[in-house]
Amino acid sequence: MALIKAPTGHEKKRAEYCVEWLQAQGIEEVLSDECTNVIVPWNIQSGKNNCMFMAHLDTVFSEETELMIKEKKGKWCCPGIGDDTANAAILLLLIKYVHEKVKKRSCGVWFVFDVGEEGLGNLAGSRKLMESYGNRLRWVTSFDLYTHHIYTSSVGSYRYRIVVKTKGGHSYLDFGNKSAVAEMAALIYELYGYQPVGAGHTTYNAGVISGGTSVNTIAQECSMLYEARSDEAEALVECENYLYETLKKRKTDDVQIECKKIGERPCMGVVDTEKIMRIAQKCSDLIEKVTGKRPAFGQASTDCNIPLAMGIPSLCIGLIEGAGAHTLEEWINPESLTKGFQIAVGVFETVTEEH
């Protein structure tokens, strides 16, 4: 799976691999939806007595990124191998195990390989799943990242594409004309002067900037991708208000600015946090028993954002040891894969037996 390229929005080949692998194990009911999520139902119950286990198929790396697994000092190194390929591979094995070894019980399960978790995917796969099955779920588990953290709450985000346009011109002959690049730089400087309010943790970032024509051209156009993140919904609104006010002030007859919101990940809604922490403690005990190390509790932006916003208790749990997510040097410890399978089985048992 690690060698099958799957940039966000282009997960089809990995999805097909999962379908073929599952069918080869004798699992007959393997579904797919319009988002390319791969869905395996097991023992589905009426009402809300069902759970979901998911791992995302996409990675942050483009089609041009070379994928090769290299072994270095006992580690397997490859872009995307830990986020989220190894967890997805373990989920495949968990599905095989459950279908072959586990007796039916009072709780039903949807096992899912979802899409659009990374970058500007805007959690498209998770959104579609919650739209389809959310009213029948009492719990969601996302297998993602590494065993040193269990994510018990969500971080929301707003994402924007901002474009600045000016007259531009020749760098010598038209010197003095407004430059889109210079205007964008001034805008970013002003945006970074924002002081977040409230008790939550709020951040902002200009992540990608592009524009200009040549070294001797006054740029006519410049664009950037900008985001705000927070664990408080109100703080995101405040950040957005500051952004819009700043853009309004910087617009002139010589400077046009366009802004479009291109992504929104929600913060937590009203949810049973006591249940989340009770199961998180059990999963933490399990991980410590298997690995010898106790994971810390934290908050992150994951597929769980969508169910948590809907009030569905959820946890994001990593199954493997590794580091370097979103870098070309990403690695996992292959010895942790067997332990990861043990953890996955234990989490399955814990969640499906919880009432």
Side-chain angles (χ1 to χ4, degrees):
M1 286 183 71
L3 302 182
I4 302 173
K5 296 181 178 182
T8 303
H10 300 275
E11 302 95 337
K12 186 178 179 181
K13 290 182 180 178
R14 274 202 186 182
E16 290 173 345
Y17 173 85
C18 290
V19 171
E20 291 171 5
W21 190 92
L22 289 164
Q23 290 176 340
Q25 312 312 309
I27 299 169
E28 297 179 356
E29 193 173 8
V30 183
L31 312 175
S32 184
D33 64 19
E34 61 193 66
C35 276
T36 322
N37 293 316
V38 177
I39 305 155
V40 182
W42 179 80
N43 189 41
I44 299 302
Q45 303 293 303
S46 61
K48 296 194 66 171
N49 200 23
N50 299 288
C51 301
M52 182 173 287
F53 293 87
M54 61 203 303
H56 66 85
L57 294 175
D58 58 323
T59 76
V60 300
F61 299 98
S62 69
E63 291 279 3
E64 290 72 37
T65 304
E66 181 183 7
L67 298 181
M68 181 183 300
I69 299 176
K70 300 177 182 178
E71 187 169 354
K72 297 180 181 178
K73 298 180 180 179
K75 300 174 181 177
W76 286 353
C77 306
C78 183
I81 194 168
D83 183 18
D84 194 25
T85 310
N87 289 294
I90 292 172
L91 181 56
L92 283 173
L93 295 175
L94 177 63
I95 297 170
K96 175 179 169 66
Y97 171 82
V98 170
H99 275 76
E100 293 180 354
K101 305 292 185 182
V102 178
K103 294 181 179 180
K104 299 293 175 65
R105 53 192 62 181
S106 61
C107 178
V109 176
W110 280 286
F111 298 99
V112 178
F113 301 88
D114 68 292
V115 302
E117 195 277 342
E118 298 288 7
L120 295 176
N122 204 31
L123 304 180
S126 182
R127 289 178 193 275
K128 180 61 180 176
L129 291 165
M130 293 307 110
E131 176 187 315
S132 300
Y133 306 110
N135 63 350
R136 299 181 63 189
L137 291 172
R138 62 174 173 81
W139 181 268
V140 173
T141 302
S142 173
F143 291 135
D144 201 352
L145 293 171
Y146 315 114
T147 52
H148 53 70
H149 271 92
I150 293 177
Y151 297 106
T152 59
S153 60
S154 59
V155 175
S157 64
Y158 290 172
R159 287 159 174 178
Y160 313 85
R161 178 176 285 109
I162 300 171
V163 180
V164 175
K165 297 180 180 180
T166 62
K167 183 177 181 180
H170 191 282
S171 63
Y172 187 81
L173 299 177
D174 298 313
F175 185 73
N177 285 1
K178 294 287 187 180
S179 162
V181 169
E183 291 297 319
M184 183 67 83
L187 170 61
I188 293 171
Y189 180 80
E190 191 165 351
L191 291 176
Y192 270 67
Y194 176 65
Q195 296 297 316
V197 295
H201 183 52
T202 304
T203 65
Y204 42 82
N205 182 57
V208 178
I209 308 172
S210 60
T213 304
S214 68
V215 69
N216 58 333
T217 300
I218 300 171
Q220 287 186 293
E221 186 171 314
C222 184
S223 65
M224 78 161 169
L225 299 180
Y226 180 77
E227 76 158 12
R229 290 191 180 216
S230 183
D231 52 1
E232 290 189 348
E234 296 81 1
L236 289 176
V237 174
E238 289 293 331
C239 282
E240 182 168 82
N241 290 339
Y242 180 82
L243 169 64
Y244 289 157
E245 290 169 5
T246 303
L247 296 180
K248 185 177 180 180
K249 287 190 300 180
R250 299 206 64 83
K251 288 181 180 180
T252 67
D253 292 340
D254 297 328
V255 180
Q256 291 81 50
I257 303 177
E258 302 167 0
C259 179
K260 181 180 180 181
K261 184 183 282 188
I262 56 175
E264 182 174 342
R265 297 188 174 203
C267 296
M268 286 181 71
V270 179
V271 65
D272 187 347
T273 55
E274 182 178 325
K275 179 177 182 179
I276 290 174
M277 294 311 300
R278 183 173 67 250
I279 296 183
Q281 290 288 354
K282 291 180 179 179
C283 293
S284 181
D285 293 342
L286 169 67
I287 292 173
E288 184 177 29
K289 181 178 180 180
V290 174
T291 68
K293 299 177 183 178
R294 192 166 189 86
F297 294 154
Q299 55 190 23
S301 177
T302 71
D303 275 322
C304 290
N305 279 46
I306 306 302
L308 286 171
M310 296 170 62
I312 303 170
S314 309
L315 277 182
C316 180
I317 299 173
L319 299 175
I320 42 93
E321 178 188 355
H326 293 199
T327 72
L328 297 175
E329 294 76 32
E330 187 172 357
W331 61 270
I332 65 168
N333 178 355
E335 293 182 357
S336 70
L337 292 168
T338 302
K339 295 178 181 179
F341 177 70
Q342 290 179 259
I343 295 168
V345 172
V347 172
F348 171 86
E349 297 288 349
T350 297
V351 169
T352 55
E353 290 173 358
E354 174 75 20
H355 294 288

